[in-house]
Amino acid sequence: MYTLGEFIIENRDHFSYPTEGLLRLFSSIKLAAKAINKEVNKAGLTEKIIGSSGIINIQGENQQKLDNFAHQVFIESLKSRNIVCGIASEESKDFIVVKGEKENSFQKKYIVLIDPLDGSSNIDVNVSIGTIFSVYRRKSSMNLTMDDFLQKGNKQILAGYIIYGSSTILVYTTGNGVHGFTLDPSVGTFYLSHPNLRYPKIERIYSINEGNYSRFPNGIKKFIRYCQEKKENRPYTARYIGSLVGDFHRNMIQGGIYIYPKTEYSPKGKLRLLYECNPMAFLTEQAGGKASDGENRILDIEPLNLHQRTPFICGPVRMVTKLEEFINP
Ligand code: P6P
């Protein structure tokens, strides 16, 4: 069985930039994932971890202690490999410049955007949660600017997530397919378990928070009724766990659409473009699917600010296209 490191070396031609840089970047992501996995697996036992930190984060959300822990672990791990020049995190209002003796050298030319622990409201009820990461080359040659971070999703060079569930799986793409690696905690190694992940031909699932039904635009309501009344083949199944990484991972493997549309509460949608939707959209397209805001390809959206929100739909091409037809009759 390939380890993650062996797979990267074996497929070095997948990377349009030196494998050495990627290996170092991945080793910092792997290290952080293992540290977070350890705490997630015992969150119920450690009073310092479970529950709210009492801090309201920049999103106005009640920051869970594990959110903050995951943020700190990723920041420190990414800083330590001397490969990243800047980081943007859901938990940090502004981007973080990674100072270092070789700030403008060859090494420090990647920037990373992360949602350190997505779905953290599920921590206390033991539902799968995840880390989402997105990597770009810097644009600036000297000091980092916001433009280094406000790049379209189609400029990503690496994107992925770690899902902390019944097992811990790291899934990534560099534009050459989607590959999943399962952590063997007994030896602390990620092994290739899901090579070339792709949406299956059978479309079975629709994932949306139907509790917001009365607040959805009409096109969304029509699509939900279509899913419920679908007769040909077999009716769709509704599955929604309120954790993007968990819903996404299941739908990519079993065949389903994930929808977080705009609502009265979230007129621009709830999910963030840069460190949630863009990485998930890159993975979606690489797995043979489609990702849009209902009208526009997610990866072509011009970002205007770090924490910008967008309506988000991703899944099999036919399901997403069908929903777009309902939204734009
Ligand atoms: P709602 C978690 O807070 C998150 O950002 C995603 O992981 C998840 O899919 C969504 O929000 C759930 O939001 O409004 O349905 O609870």
Side-chain angles (χ1 to χ4, degrees):
M1 280 197 299
Y2 275 119
T3 65
L4 175 55
E6 288 165 346
F7 185 81
I8 289 170
I9 291 168
E10 189 71 18
N11 296 279
R12 64 175 63 80
D13 58 327
H14 283 185
F15 309 106
S16 55
Y17 44 94
T19 313
E20 183 267 343
L22 182 86
L23 276 170
R24 285 166 53 184
L25 186 52
F26 253 123
S27 79
S28 61
I29 293 172
K30 283 190 295 186
L31 180 67
K34 292 174 195 173
I36 293 165
N37 180 59
K38 193 164 68 72
E39 293 306 325
V40 165
N41 285 343
K42 62 179 183 180
L45 300 176
T46 315
E47 59 77 31
K48 74 174 167 69
I49 289 290
I50 201 163
S52 165
S53 64
I55 300 165
I56 302 298
N57 70 10
I58 63 112
Q59 317 290 342
E61 294 167 345
N62 202 349
Q63 187 183 67
Q64 301 293 316
K65 289 176 184 172
L66 211 47
D67 271 335
N68 190 38
F69 172 79
H71 170 76
Q72 294 303 334
V73 164
F74 261 99
I75 298 301
E76 291 316 311
S77 184
L78 288 168
K79 278 180 174 179
S80 66
R81 291 291 192 288
N82 197 30
I83 184 72
V84 169
C85 55
I87 303 165
S89 165
E90 182 193 48
E91 302 300 330
S92 174
K93 183 171 180 299
D94 299 313
F95 62 79
I96 298 156
V97 178
V98 179
K99 293 283 184 204
E101 69 288 346
K102 294 188 272 185
E103 183 165 340
N104 295 316
S105 71
F106 153 80
Q107 279 89 346
K108 284 194 175 291
K109 68 180 195 180
Y110 300 126
I111 61 157
V112 179
L113 299 99
I114 47 168
D115 182 353
L117 208 60
D118 178 75
S120 52
S121 56
N122 290 304
I123 293 170
D124 295 359
V125 293
N126 213 19
V127 166
S128 298
I129 51 183
T131 296
I132 306 172
F133 57 90
S134 170
V135 181
Y136 293 80
R137 279 199 190 77
R138 73 183 297 171
K139 288 172 69 176
S140 58
S141 52
M142 291 304 286
N143 299 325
L144 270 185
T145 69
M146 185 59 86
D147 282 349
D148 287 302
F149 295 88
L150 300 183
Q151 299 187 52
K152 287 184 181 179
N154 58 35
K155 296 290 186 194
Q156 292 174 97
I157 56 173
L158 165 66
Y161 58 81
I162 298 111
I163 181 168
Y164 311 99
S166 48
S167 60
T168 297
I169 302 177
L170 185 153
V171 177
Y172 82 86
T173 186
T174 58
N176 290 277
V178 177
H179 309 287
F181 298 78
T182 300
L183 177 66
D184 177 343
S186 65
V187 292
T189 302
F190 281 97
Y191 288 99
L192 179 64
S193 53
H194 299 74
N196 296 306
L197 275 167
R198 291 186 68 80
Y199 284 96
K201 295 248 180 300
I202 303 285
E203 300 151 5
R204 295 187 48 239
I205 298 166
Y206 70 101
S207 301
I208 186 169
N209 183 343
E210 295 191 60
N212 291 327
Y213 184 84
S214 61
R215 302 178 191 91
F216 286 148
N218 285 333
I220 302 290
K221 291 179 180 173
K222 284 181 186 159
F223 181 77
I224 291 173
R225 289 198 297 274
Y226 162 79
C227 293
Q228 292 165 341
E229 293 152 14
K230 180 176 175 303
K231 295 291 182 281
E232 70 272 14
N233 298 334
R234 53 184 290 181
Y236 289 151
T237 297
R239 287 282 185 276
Y240 189 79
I241 63 169
S243 176
L244 170 60
V245 174
D247 283 317
F248 181 94
H249 187 73
R250 178 201 58 242
N251 288 2
M252 181 166 59
I253 291 173
Q254 296 184 347
I257 187 171
Y258 173 92
I259 309 162
Y260 207 105
K262 58 186 174 189
T263 68
E264 278 168 34
Y265 290 145
S266 319
K268 291 193 168 51
K270 174 182 183 183
L271 301 182
R272 291 80 169 182
L273 173 64
L274 290 184
Y275 42 80
E276 289 177 330
C277 301
N278 271 339
M280 294 319 232
F282 191 12
L283 290 160
T284 297
E285 292 193 359
Q286 284 295 310
K290 184 176 184 183
S292 87
D293 63 3
E295 294 177 70
N296 312 290
R297 182 184 181 227
I298 289 290
L299 296 182
D300 292 339
I301 295 176
E302 185 75 48
L304 300 174
N305 66 69
L306 271 187
H307 303 290
Q308 169 173 344
R309 298 175 191 266
T310 177
F312 185 55
I313 300 161
C314 64
V317 173
R318 276 190 317 173
M319 289 184 91
V320 173
T321 304
K322 187 77 180 172
L323 173 49
E324 289 174 337
E325 288 165 2
F326 280 114
I327 294 173
N328 313 295

PDB file of all heavy atoms in Angstrom, residues 211-240:
ATOM      1  N   GLY A 211     -34.880  22.448   6.970  1.00  0.00           N
ATOM      2  CA  GLY A 211     -35.506  23.280   8.011  1.00  0.00           C
ATOM      3  C   GLY A 211     -35.643  24.719   7.542  1.00  0.00           C
ATOM      4  O   GLY A 211     -36.484  25.469   8.031  1.00  0.00           O
ATOM      5  N   ASN A 212     -34.814  25.102   6.540  1.00  0.00           N
ATOM      6  CA  ASN A 212     -34.904  26.468   5.996  1.00  0.00           C
ATOM      7  C   ASN A 212     -35.879  26.556   4.821  1.00  0.00           C
ATOM      8  O   ASN A 212     -35.928  27.588   4.135  1.00  0.00           O
ATOM      9  CB  ASN A 212     -33.508  26.915   5.511  1.00  0.00           C
ATOM     10  CG  ASN A 212     -32.561  27.133   6.677  1.00  0.00           C
ATOM     11  OD1 ASN A 212     -32.983  27.539   7.750  1.00  0.00           O
ATOM     12  ND2 ASN A 212     -31.284  26.824   6.466  1.00  0.00           N
ATOM     13  N   TYR A 213     -36.644  25.467   4.576  1.00  0.00           N
ATOM     14  CA  TYR A 213     -37.435  25.369   3.344  1.00  0.00           C
ATOM     15  C   TYR A 213     -38.229  26.645   3.051  1.00  0.00           C
ATOM     16  O   TYR A 213     -38.200  27.195   1.965  1.00  0.00           O
ATOM     17  CB  TYR A 213     -38.405  24.180   3.433  1.00  0.00           C
ATOM     18  CG  TYR A 213     -39.201  23.948   2.165  1.00  0.00           C
ATOM     19  CD1 TYR A 213     -38.655  23.203   1.119  1.00  0.00           C
ATOM     20  CD2 TYR A 213     -40.464  24.511   1.993  1.00  0.00           C
ATOM     21  CE1 TYR A 213     -39.363  22.992  -0.057  1.00  0.00           C
ATOM     22  CE2 TYR A 213     -41.180  24.313   0.813  1.00  0.00           C
ATOM     23  CZ  TYR A 213     -40.623  23.560  -0.197  1.00  0.00           C
ATOM     24  OH  TYR A 213     -41.336  23.374  -1.363  1.00  0.00           O
ATOM     25  N   SER A 214     -38.920  27.154   4.073  1.00  0.00           N
ATOM     26  CA  SER A 214     -39.824  28.300   3.822  1.00  0.00           C
ATOM     27  C   SER A 214     -39.044  29.548   3.413  1.00  0.00           C
ATOM     28  O   SER A 214     -39.606  30.504   2.882  1.00  0.00           O
ATOM     29  CB  SER A 214     -40.629  28.607   5.099  1.00  0.00           C
ATOM     30  OG  SER A 214     -39.695  28.962   6.133  1.00  0.00           O
ATOM     31  N   ARG A 215     -37.714  29.538   3.655  1.00  0.00           N
ATOM     32  CA  ARG A 215     -36.899  30.730   3.346  1.00  0.00           C
ATOM     33  C   ARG A 215     -36.096  30.575   2.055  1.00  0.00           C
ATOM     34  O   ARG A 215     -35.297  31.436   1.722  1.00  0.00           O
ATOM     35  CB  ARG A 215     -35.959  31.024   4.519  1.00  0.00           C
ATOM     36  CG  ARG A 215     -36.699  31.250   5.854  1.00  0.00           C
ATOM     37  CD  ARG A 215     -35.752  31.480   7.005  1.00  0.00           C
ATOM     38  NE  ARG A 215     -36.492  31.424   8.281  1.00  0.00           N
ATOM     39  CZ  ARG A 215     -36.654  30.297   8.980  1.00  0.00           C
ATOM     40  NH1 ARG A 215     -36.112  29.161   8.553  1.00  0.00           N
ATOM     41  NH2 ARG A 215     -37.360  30.295  10.096  1.00  0.00           N
ATOM     42  N   PHE A 216     -36.285  29.425   1.383  1.00  0.00           N
ATOM     43  CA  PHE A 216     -35.508  29.208   0.155  1.00  0.00           C
ATOM     44  C   PHE A 216     -36.138  29.961  -1.015  1.00  0.00           C
ATOM     45  O   PHE A 216     -37.367  30.136  -1.067  1.00  0.00           O
ATOM     46  CB  PHE A 216     -35.477  27.713  -0.185  1.00  0.00           C
ATOM     47  CG  PHE A 216     -34.583  26.882   0.709  1.00  0.00           C
ATOM     48  CD1 PHE A 216     -34.916  25.557   0.983  1.00  0.00           C
ATOM     49  CD2 PHE A 216     -33.422  27.393   1.268  1.00  0.00           C
ATOM     50  CE1 PHE A 216     -34.103  24.766   1.795  1.00  0.00           C
ATOM     51  CE2 PHE A 216     -32.610  26.622   2.075  1.00  0.00           C
ATOM     52  CZ  PHE A 216     -32.968  25.303   2.345  1.00  0.00           C
ATOM     53  N   PRO A 217     -35.330  30.346  -2.012  1.00  0.00           N
ATOM     54  CA  PRO A 217     -35.880  30.850  -3.282  1.00  0.00           C
ATOM     55  C   PRO A 217     -36.734  29.750  -3.935  1.00  0.00           C
ATOM     56  O   PRO A 217     -36.527  28.563  -3.679  1.00  0.00           O
ATOM     57  CB  PRO A 217     -34.630  31.140  -4.118  1.00  0.00           C
ATOM     58  CG  PRO A 217     -33.493  31.243  -3.142  1.00  0.00           C
ATOM     59  CD  PRO A 217     -33.847  30.349  -1.997  1.00  0.00           C
ATOM     60  N   ASN A 218     -37.684  30.158  -4.793  1.00  0.00           N
ATOM     61  CA  ASN A 218     -38.617  29.192  -5.398  1.00  0.00           C
ATOM     62  C   ASN A 218     -37.919  28.064  -6.161  1.00  0.00           C
ATOM     63  O   ASN A 218     -38.325  26.908  -6.094  1.00  0.00           O
ATOM     64  CB  ASN A 218     -39.590  29.926  -6.334  1.00  0.00           C
ATOM     65  CG  ASN A 218     -40.646  30.683  -5.515  1.00  0.00           C
ATOM     66  OD1 ASN A 218     -40.948  30.274  -4.379  1.00  0.00           O
ATOM     67  ND2 ASN A 218     -41.147  31.779  -6.064  1.00  0.00           N
ATOM     68  N   GLY A 219     -36.822  28.402  -6.862  1.00  0.00           N
ATOM     69  CA  GLY A 219     -36.129  27.371  -7.656  1.00  0.00           C
ATOM     70  C   GLY A 219     -35.627  26.240  -6.779  1.00  0.00           C
ATOM     71  O   GLY A 219     -35.685  25.057  -7.151  1.00  0.00           O
ATOM     72  N   ILE A 220     -35.168  26.589  -5.563  1.00  0.00           N
ATOM     73  CA  ILE A 220     -34.673  25.555  -4.642  1.00  0.00           C
ATOM     74  C   ILE A 220     -35.837  24.695  -4.163  1.00  0.00           C
ATOM     75  O   ILE A 220     -35.768  23.467  -4.098  1.00  0.00           O
ATOM     76  CB  ILE A 220     -33.950  26.192  -3.443  1.00  0.00           C
ATOM     77  CG1 ILE A 220     -32.774  27.065  -3.899  1.00  0.00           C
ATOM     78  CG2 ILE A 220     -33.495  25.127  -2.436  1.00  0.00           C
ATOM     79  CD1 ILE A 220     -31.590  26.329  -4.460  1.00  0.00           C
ATOM     80  N   LYS A 221     -36.965  25.372  -3.830  1.00  0.00           N
ATOM     81  CA  LYS A 221     -38.158  24.630  -3.371  1.00  0.00           C
ATOM     82  C   LYS A 221     -38.627  23.659  -4.463  1.00  0.00           C
ATOM     83  O   LYS A 221     -38.935  22.490  -4.185  1.00  0.00           O
ATOM     84  CB  LYS A 221     -39.300  25.598  -3.039  1.00  0.00           C
ATOM     85  CG  LYS A 221     -39.056  26.468  -1.805  1.00  0.00           C
ATOM     86  CD  LYS A 221     -40.235  27.404  -1.568  1.00  0.00           C
ATOM     87  CE  LYS A 221     -40.013  28.285  -0.340  1.00  0.00           C
ATOM     88  NZ  LYS A 221     -41.094  29.321  -0.194  1.00  0.00           N
ATOM     89  N   LYS A 222     -38.597  24.112  -5.705  1.00  0.00           N
ATOM     90  CA  LYS A 222     -39.042  23.246  -6.812  1.00  0.00           C
ATOM     91  C   LYS A 222     -38.120  22.037  -6.932  1.00  0.00           C
ATOM     92  O   LYS A 222     -38.560  20.903  -7.140  1.00  0.00           O
ATOM     93  CB  LYS A 222     -39.055  24.029  -8.142  1.00  0.00           C
ATOM     94  CG  LYS A 222     -40.228  24.980  -8.277  1.00  0.00           C
ATOM     95  CD  LYS A 222     -40.190  25.697  -9.612  1.00  0.00           C
ATOM     96  CE  LYS A 222     -41.297  26.766  -9.695  1.00  0.00           C
ATOM     97  NZ  LYS A 222     -40.977  27.787 -10.730  1.00  0.00           N
ATOM     98  N   PHE A 223     -36.798  22.269  -6.772  1.00  0.00           N
ATOM     99  CA  PHE A 223     -35.853  21.149  -6.892  1.00  0.00           C
ATOM    100  C   PHE A 223     -36.084  20.132  -5.779  1.00  0.00           C
ATOM    101  O   PHE A 223     -36.055  18.919  -6.012  1.00  0.00           O
ATOM    102  CB  PHE A 223     -34.409  21.647  -6.863  1.00  0.00           C
ATOM    103  CG  PHE A 223     -33.384  20.548  -7.007  1.00  0.00           C
ATOM    104  CD1 PHE A 223     -33.130  19.984  -8.253  1.00  0.00           C
ATOM    105  CD2 PHE A 223     -32.701  20.066  -5.896  1.00  0.00           C
ATOM    106  CE1 PHE A 223     -32.201  18.955  -8.393  1.00  0.00           C
ATOM    107  CE2 PHE A 223     -31.763  19.037  -6.027  1.00  0.00           C
ATOM    108  CZ  PHE A 223     -31.515  18.482  -7.279  1.00  0.00           C
ATOM    109  N   ILE A 224     -36.335  20.628  -4.549  1.00  0.00           N
ATOM    110  CA  ILE A 224     -36.576  19.700  -3.422  1.00  0.00           C
ATOM    111  C   ILE A 224     -37.825  18.864  -3.712  1.00  0.00           C
ATOM    112  O   ILE A 224     -37.824  17.635  -3.546  1.00  0.00           O
ATOM    113  CB  ILE A 224     -36.728  20.479  -2.103  1.00  0.00           C
ATOM    114  CG1 ILE A 224     -35.377  21.107  -1.704  1.00  0.00           C
ATOM    115  CG2 ILE A 224     -37.222  19.551  -0.972  1.00  0.00           C
ATOM    116  CD1 ILE A 224     -35.456  22.034  -0.489  1.00  0.00           C
ATOM    117  N   ARG A 225     -38.871  19.507  -4.227  1.00  0.00           N
ATOM    118  CA  ARG A 225     -40.098  18.749  -4.556  1.00  0.00           C
ATOM    119  C   ARG A 225     -39.808  17.738  -5.669  1.00  0.00           C
ATOM    120  O   ARG A 225     -40.253  16.593  -5.644  1.00  0.00           O
ATOM    121  CB  ARG A 225     -41.235  19.708  -4.953  1.00  0.00           C
ATOM    122  CG  ARG A 225     -41.788  20.509  -3.764  1.00  0.00           C
ATOM    123  CD  ARG A 225     -43.173  21.097  -4.079  1.00  0.00           C
ATOM    124  NE  ARG A 225     -43.101  22.058  -5.193  1.00  0.00           N
ATOM    125  CZ  ARG A 225     -42.795  23.357  -5.029  1.00  0.00           C
ATOM    126  NH1 ARG A 225     -42.491  23.827  -3.819  1.00  0.00           N
ATOM    127  NH2 ARG A 225     -42.760  24.190  -6.066  1.00  0.00           N
ATOM    128  N   TYR A 226     -38.962  18.155  -6.627  1.00  0.00           N
ATOM    129  CA  TYR A 226     -38.571  17.238  -7.717  1.00  0.00           C
ATOM    130  C   TYR A 226     -37.871  16.010  -7.132  1.00  0.00           C
ATOM    131  O   TYR A 226     -38.185  14.866  -7.488  1.00  0.00           O
ATOM    132  CB  TYR A 226     -37.636  17.980  -8.694  1.00  0.00           C
ATOM    133  CG  TYR A 226     -36.825  17.093  -9.597  1.00  0.00           C
ATOM    134  CD1 TYR A 226     -37.386  16.509 -10.740  1.00  0.00           C
ATOM    135  CD2 TYR A 226     -35.486  16.804  -9.297  1.00  0.00           C
ATOM    136  CE1 TYR A 226     -36.632  15.676 -11.563  1.00  0.00           C
ATOM    137  CE2 TYR A 226     -34.723  15.971 -10.117  1.00  0.00           C
ATOM    138  CZ  TYR A 226     -35.299  15.414 -11.248  1.00  0.00           C
ATOM    139  OH  TYR A 226     -34.554  14.586 -12.054  1.00  0.00           O
ATOM    140  N   CYS A 227     -36.970  16.233  -6.186  1.00  0.00           N
ATOM    141  CA  CYS A 227     -36.240  15.103  -5.564  1.00  0.00           C
ATOM    142  C   CYS A 227     -37.221  14.176  -4.829  1.00  0.00           C
ATOM    143  O   CYS A 227     -37.111  12.951  -4.882  1.00  0.00           O
ATOM    144  CB  CYS A 227     -35.208  15.617  -4.564  1.00  0.00           C
ATOM    145  SG  CYS A 227     -33.840  16.527  -5.309  1.00  0.00           S
ATOM    146  N   GLN A 228     -38.210  14.789  -4.169  1.00  0.00           N
ATOM    147  CA  GLN A 228     -39.149  13.984  -3.364  1.00  0.00           C
ATOM    148  C   GLN A 228     -40.139  13.237  -4.243  1.00  0.00           C
ATOM    149  O   GLN A 228     -40.616  12.165  -3.870  1.00  0.00           O
ATOM    150  CB  GLN A 228     -39.891  14.903  -2.384  1.00  0.00           C
ATOM    151  CG  GLN A 228     -38.967  15.478  -1.304  1.00  0.00           C
ATOM    152  CD  GLN A 228     -39.602  16.641  -0.565  1.00  0.00           C
ATOM    153  OE1 GLN A 228     -40.575  17.256  -1.048  1.00  0.00           O
ATOM    154  NE2 GLN A 228     -39.042  16.980   0.598  1.00  0.00           N
ATOM    155  N   GLU A 229     -40.435  13.808  -5.418  1.00  0.00           N
ATOM    156  CA  GLU A 229     -41.465  13.180  -6.276  1.00  0.00           C
ATOM    157  C   GLU A 229     -40.857  12.335  -7.394  1.00  0.00           C
ATOM    158  O   GLU A 229     -41.551  11.690  -8.157  1.00  0.00           O
ATOM    159  CB  GLU A 229     -42.364  14.282  -6.874  1.00  0.00           C
ATOM    160  CG  GLU A 229     -43.207  14.985  -5.810  1.00  0.00           C
ATOM    161  CD  GLU A 229     -43.541  16.424  -6.195  1.00  0.00           C
ATOM    162  OE1 GLU A 229     -43.345  16.775  -7.385  1.00  0.00           O
ATOM    163  OE2 GLU A 229     -43.978  17.187  -5.316  1.00  0.00           O
ATOM    164  N   LYS A 230     -39.526  12.303  -7.440  1.00  0.00           N
ATOM    165  CA  LYS A 230     -38.854  11.613  -8.556  1.00  0.00           C
ATOM    166  C   LYS A 230     -39.287  10.148  -8.587  1.00  0.00           C
ATOM    167  O   LYS A 230     -39.265   9.464  -7.569  1.00  0.00           O
ATOM    168  CB  LYS A 230     -37.360  11.736  -8.327  1.00  0.00           C
ATOM    169  CG  LYS A 230     -36.452  11.110  -9.337  1.00  0.00           C
ATOM    170  CD  LYS A 230     -35.010  11.445  -8.969  1.00  0.00           C
ATOM    171  CE  LYS A 230     -34.048  10.731  -9.874  1.00  0.00           C
ATOM    172  NZ  LYS A 230     -34.203   9.267  -9.875  1.00  0.00           N
ATOM    173  N   LYS A 231     -39.707   9.716  -9.736  1.00  0.00           N
ATOM    174  CA  LYS A 231     -40.203   8.343  -9.786  1.00  0.00           C
ATOM    175  C   LYS A 231     -39.252   7.423 -10.560  1.00  0.00           C
ATOM    176  O   LYS A 231     -39.042   6.276 -10.180  1.00  0.00           O
ATOM    177  CB  LYS A 231     -41.582   8.324 -10.477  1.00  0.00           C
ATOM    178  CG  LYS A 231     -42.667   9.074  -9.687  1.00  0.00           C
ATOM    179  CD  LYS A 231     -43.024   8.329  -8.413  1.00  0.00           C
ATOM    180  CE  LYS A 231     -44.143   9.052  -7.650  1.00  0.00           C
ATOM    181  NZ  LYS A 231     -43.598  10.225  -6.879  1.00  0.00           N
ATOM    182  N   GLU A 232     -38.646   7.990 -11.634  1.00  0.00           N
ATOM    183  CA  GLU A 232     -37.851   7.079 -12.473  1.00  0.00           C
ATOM    184  C   GLU A 232     -36.671   6.556 -11.645  1.00  0.00           C
ATOM    185  O   GLU A 232     -36.215   7.202 -10.722  1.00  0.00           O
ATOM    186  CB  GLU A 232     -37.355   7.794 -13.740  1.00  0.00           C
ATOM    187  CG  GLU A 232     -36.283   8.851 -13.519  1.00  0.00           C
ATOM    188  CD  GLU A 232     -36.880  10.212 -13.217  1.00  0.00           C
ATOM    189  OE1 GLU A 232     -38.095  10.286 -12.913  1.00  0.00           O
ATOM    190  OE2 GLU A 232     -36.121  11.191 -13.225  1.00  0.00           O
ATOM    191  N   ASN A 233     -36.251   5.369 -11.947  1.00  0.00           N
ATOM    192  CA  ASN A 233     -35.205   4.667 -11.179  1.00  0.00           C
ATOM    193  C   ASN A 233     -35.684   4.556  -9.738  1.00  0.00           C
ATOM    194  O   ASN A 233     -36.706   4.020  -9.451  1.00  0.00           O
ATOM    195  CB  ASN A 233     -33.867   5.422 -11.247  1.00  0.00           C
ATOM    196  CG  ASN A 233     -33.372   5.497 -12.690  1.00  0.00           C
ATOM    197  OD1 ASN A 233     -33.725   4.631 -13.501  1.00  0.00           O
ATOM    198  ND2 ASN A 233     -32.632   6.534 -13.004  1.00  0.00           N
ATOM    199  N   ARG A 234     -34.969   5.183  -8.843  1.00  0.00           N
ATOM    200  CA  ARG A 234     -35.413   5.131  -7.437  1.00  0.00           C
ATOM    201  C   ARG A 234     -35.417   6.562  -6.891  1.00  0.00           C
ATOM    202  O   ARG A 234     -34.634   7.390  -7.313  1.00  0.00           O
ATOM    203  CB  ARG A 234     -34.464   4.258  -6.620  1.00  0.00           C
ATOM    204  CG  ARG A 234     -33.004   4.672  -6.752  1.00  0.00           C
ATOM    205  CD  ARG A 234     -32.086   3.732  -6.024  1.00  0.00           C
ATOM    206  NE  ARG A 234     -32.248   3.867  -4.563  1.00  0.00           N
ATOM    207  CZ  ARG A 234     -31.539   3.154  -3.703  1.00  0.00           C
ATOM    208  NH1 ARG A 234     -30.666   2.284  -4.136  1.00  0.00           N
ATOM    209  NH2 ARG A 234     -31.701   3.284  -2.413  1.00  0.00           N
ATOM    210  N   PRO A 235     -36.332   6.826  -5.916  1.00  0.00           N
ATOM    211  CA  PRO A 235     -36.371   8.207  -5.406  1.00  0.00           C
ATOM    212  C   PRO A 235     -35.052   8.562  -4.728  1.00  0.00           C
ATOM    213  O   PRO A 235     -34.325   7.699  -4.257  1.00  0.00           O
ATOM    214  CB  PRO A 235     -37.508   8.172  -4.385  1.00  0.00           C
ATOM    215  CG  PRO A 235     -37.769   6.753  -4.092  1.00  0.00           C
ATOM    216  CD  PRO A 235     -37.305   5.963  -5.273  1.00  0.00           C
ATOM    217  N   TYR A 236     -34.749   9.834  -4.743  1.00  0.00           N
ATOM    218  CA  TYR A 236     -33.537  10.269  -4.056  1.00  0.00           C
ATOM    219  C   TYR A 236     -33.697  10.090  -2.555  1.00  0.00           C
ATOM    220  O   TYR A 236     -34.799  10.114  -2.023  1.00  0.00           O
ATOM    221  CB  TYR A 236     -33.287  11.756  -4.344  1.00  0.00           C
ATOM    222  CG  TYR A 236     -32.842  12.071  -5.754  1.00  0.00           C
ATOM    223  CD1 TYR A 236     -33.144  13.284  -6.340  1.00  0.00           C
ATOM    224  CD2 TYR A 236     -32.097  11.153  -6.508  1.00  0.00           C
ATOM    225  CE1 TYR A 236     -32.728  13.594  -7.631  1.00  0.00           C
ATOM    226  CE2 TYR A 236     -31.686  11.453  -7.793  1.00  0.00           C
ATOM    227  CZ  TYR A 236     -31.997  12.675  -8.347  1.00  0.00           C
ATOM    228  OH  TYR A 236     -31.606  12.970  -9.618  1.00  0.00           O
ATOM    229  N   THR A 237     -32.552   9.964  -1.880  1.00  0.00           N
ATOM    230  CA  THR A 237     -32.538   9.879  -0.414  1.00  0.00           C
ATOM    231  C   THR A 237     -32.073  11.220   0.129  1.00  0.00           C
ATOM    232  O   THR A 237     -31.135  11.811  -0.421  1.00  0.00           O
ATOM    233  CB  THR A 237     -31.537   8.772   0.006  1.00  0.00           C
ATOM    234  OG1 THR A 237     -32.008   7.528  -0.517  1.00  0.00           O
ATOM    235  CG2 THR A 237     -31.412   8.699   1.511  1.00  0.00           C
ATOM    236  N   ALA A 238     -32.682  11.696   1.195  1.00  0.00           N
ATOM    237  CA  ALA A 238     -32.239  12.944   1.842  1.00  0.00           C
ATOM    238  C   ALA A 238     -31.224  12.579   2.929  1.00  0.00           C
ATOM    239  O   ALA A 238     -31.484  11.693   3.760  1.00  0.00           O
ATOM    240  CB  ALA A 238     -33.433  13.673   2.460  1.00  0.00           C
ATOM    241  N   ARG A 239     -30.039  13.191   2.839  1.00  0.00           N
ATOM    242  CA  ARG A 239     -29.026  13.003   3.879  1.00  0.00           C
ATOM    243  C   ARG A 239     -28.380  14.355   4.160  1.00  0.00           C
ATOM    244  O   ARG A 239     -27.925  15.016   3.214  1.00  0.00           O
ATOM    245  CB  ARG A 239     -27.929  12.027   3.404  1.00  0.00           C
ATOM    246  CG  ARG A 239     -28.345  10.566   3.341  1.00  0.00           C
ATOM    247  CD  ARG A 239     -28.364   9.915   4.706  1.00  0.00           C
ATOM    248  NE  ARG A 239     -28.648   8.484   4.636  1.00  0.00           N
ATOM    249  CZ  ARG A 239     -29.871   7.975   4.566  1.00  0.00           C
ATOM    250  NH1 ARG A 239     -30.913   8.800   4.543  1.00  0.00           N
ATOM    251  NH2 ARG A 239     -30.052   6.660   4.510  1.00  0.00           N
ATOM    252  N   TYR A 240     -28.344  14.777   5.416  1.00  0.00           N
ATOM    253  CA  TYR A 240     -27.738  16.068   5.758  1.00  0.00           C
ATOM    254  C   TYR A 240     -27.285  16.015   7.208  1.00  0.00           C
ATOM    255  O   TYR A 240     -28.094  15.838   8.104  1.00  0.00           O
ATOM    256  CB  TYR A 240     -28.747  17.201   5.573  1.00  0.00           C
ATOM    257  CG  TYR A 240     -28.162  18.593   5.703  1.00  0.00           C
ATOM    258  CD1 TYR A 240     -27.449  19.162   4.655  1.00  0.00           C
ATOM    259  CD2 TYR A 240     -28.315  19.332   6.874  1.00  0.00           C
ATOM    260  CE1 TYR A 240     -26.911  20.437   4.763  1.00  0.00           C
ATOM    261  CE2 TYR A 240     -27.772  20.603   6.996  1.00  0.00           C
ATOM    262  CZ  TYR A 240     -27.070  21.158   5.939  1.00  0.00           C
ATOM    263  OH  TYR A 240     -26.537  22.419   6.044  1.00  0.00           O
TER     264      TYR A 240
END
